[in-house]
């Protein structure tokens, strides 16, 4: 619920904050109104954090892997 602070590890807090932001923005990652911009990080960084924290969009959609350079 809004206004409540999650307890636990830093990863737990980060996971909760990212998921709450994604849900609020209907899982939009990129663009001016996307979660990455709201969180103040690059979209590729957000995807990486989502993979590390095991965050997946409901319905099984997984963020794409970074493009090979």
């Amino acid at each position: 619920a809004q206004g409540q602070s999650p307890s636990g590890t830093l990863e737990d807090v980060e996971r909760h904050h990212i998921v709450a932001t994604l849900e609020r923005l209907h899982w939009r990652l990129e663009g001016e109104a996307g979660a990455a911009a709201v969180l103040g990080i690059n979209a590729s960084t957000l995807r990486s954090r989502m993979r590390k924290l095991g965050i997946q969009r409901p319905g099984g959609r997984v963020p794409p892997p970074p493009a090979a350079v």
Side-chain angles (χ1 to χ4, degrees):
Q2 192 170 357
Q4 293 180 348
S5 296
S7 59
T9 66
L10 181 58
E11 280 193 356
D12 291 338
V13 173
E14 184 177 19
R15 183 179 299 108
H16 179 273
H17 186 61
I18 290 172
V19 169
T21 301
L22 287 165
E23 288 175 346
R24 185 168 42 102
L25 300 172
H26 307 286
W27 290 83
R28 180 176 178 168
L29 298 180
E30 298 185 48
E32 289 182 22
V38 170
L39 294 167
I41 60 176
N42 188 290
S44 63
T45 303
L46 176 56
R47 285 189 204 92
S48 175
R49 299 303 298 155
M50 290 173 67
R51 278 191 295 277
K52 180 181 178 200
L53 297 169
I55 299 170
Q56 293 185 1
R57 180 180 180 149
R61 234 171 109 181
V62 178
V69 178

